[in-house]
Amino acid sequence: MRLSGIPTAALDRLRVLTMPRVTVLSRPSGLPTAIAQSARTQAGYEYLERGWVDDAIREFQRAVEQQPQSISAQLGLAIAYEQAGRIAEAWQAYQQVLTLEPQNQRALTAVGTLGGYRPEWQLQGIEALTALLALEPQNVDARAQRALLLGYQGRFTEAIADYEPLLTNNPSPQLLAEAAEIYTYSGDF
């Protein structure tokens, strides 16, 4: 639909860029809370909410250029890269978030998950999940992912130690399959 000859999508983007910036107390889709962030960072999160990932990346890149120490901008950039499927760039952006804030749980979780994408990322994934588990000892997903990465690294004793308590509490079929894979590789079956 067009209004005065201007495409609706263009009007929506203009509204996002010109709307007053307010503190957002919560965001859908697990996006971080936006408190006292730049207009560019806020626009980036608005674009992510609308599914305009390429626009979000551009805004977050500009925000990071203007404020390289902004955790919110760097985290937004990492999330946007990940949503765009630009995994290597997401990996680097999450690493930058952890440089700025070593206990950022969203970044620790993402680095742990992405650690399963490439063998050269596995050790950092294990380290990130270990740090996350120090903050959240009952995080079942983090423990399962760490066990899987440990198994990929051939550290079967540690992997099995992570799997054992998880397997006693009604595990998901995916967790059972991953644990079976690692137990099989370890020769302990």
Side-chain angles (χ1 to χ4, degrees), residues 75-121:
L75 184 59
L77 182 59
I79 293 167
Y81 280 146
E82 187 174 8
Q83 287 185 9
R86 295 166 61 176
I87 301 304
E89 291 162 297
W91 173 263
Q92 290 301 322
Y94 282 123
Q95 295 294 331
Q96 184 59 34
V97 171
L98 292 175
T99 298
L100 298 171
E101 184 181 8
Q103 294 186 339
N104 184 290
Q105 294 178 358
R106 176 76 186 248
L108 289 169
T109 300
V111 168
T113 300
L114 294 175
Y117 285 47
R118 294 186 179 173
E120 63 270 21
W121 293 351

Side-chain angles (χ1 to χ4, degrees), residues 98 102-103 105 108 124-137 146:
L98 292 175
Q103 294 186 339
Q105 294 178 358
L108 289 169
Q124 286 178 285
I126 292 166
E127 290 171 9
L129 292 167
T130 300
L132 182 60
L133 286 167
L135 299 170
E136 299 177 22
R146 183 176 74 174

Side-chain angles (χ1 to χ4, degrees), residues 17 21 37-45 58-60 62-63 66:
L17 291 173
R21 303 295 166 217
Q37 56 193 16
S38 75
R40 290 208 181 277
T41 301
Q42 184 68 25
Y45 282 112
R58 277 191 291 281
E59 288 301 321
F60 287 128
R62 291 177 184 143
Q66 291 175 350

Side-chain angles (χ1 to χ4, degrees), residues 6-184:
I6 300 173
T8 302
L11 287 172
D12 285 343
R13 289 181 185 157
L14 182 61
R15 283 186 196 104
V16 169
L17 291 173
T18 59
M19 69 176 44
R21 303 295 166 217
V22 295
T23 300
V24 177
L25 298 178
S26 65
R27 301 186 102 26
S29 306
L31 295 178
T33 302
I35 299 174
Q37 56 193 16
S38 75
R40 290 208 181 277
T41 301
Q42 184 68 25
Y45 282 112
E46 294 289 334
Y47 286 142
L48 276 181
E49 287 176 4
R50 293 171 185 239
W52 299 342
V53 179
D54 292 334
D55 293 326
I57 289 170
R58 277 191 291 281
E59 288 301 321
F60 287 128
Q61 285 172 331
R62 291 177 184 143
V64 168
E65 286 173 11
Q66 291 175 350
Q67 297 177 310
Q69 300 302 311
S70 170
I71 295 166
S72 182
Q74 193 66 50
L75 184 59
L77 182 59
I79 293 167
Y81 280 146
E82 187 174 8
Q83 287 185 9
R86 295 166 61 176
I87 301 304
E89 291 162 297
W91 173 263
Q92 290 301 322
Y94 282 123
Q95 295 294 331
Q96 184 59 34
V97 171
L98 292 175
T99 298
L100 298 171
E101 184 181 8
Q103 294 186 339
N104 184 290
Q105 294 178 358
R106 176 76 186 248
L108 289 169
T109 300
V111 168
T113 300
L114 294 175
Y117 285 47
R118 294 186 179 173
E120 63 270 21
W121 293 351
Q122 290 172 2
L123 291 175
Q124 286 178 285
I126 292 166
E127 290 171 9
L129 292 167
T130 300
L132 182 60
L133 286 167
L135 299 170
E136 299 177 22
Q138 302 305 316
N139 187 325
V140 172
D141 293 330
R143 189 165 304 282
Q145 179 67 12
R146 183 176 74 174
L148 185 64
L149 294 178
L150 286 165
Y152 288 163
Q153 286 289 305
R155 295 164 59 182
F156 298 118
T157 303
E158 295 168 88
I160 291 170
D162 267 352
Y163 276 128
E164 284 183 350
L166 300 176
L167 295 174
T168 62
N169 292 325
N170 194 23
S172 69
Q174 179 180 347
L175 178 62
L176 284 173
E178 291 170 352
E181 177 184 14
I182 299 307
Y183 273 85
T184 301

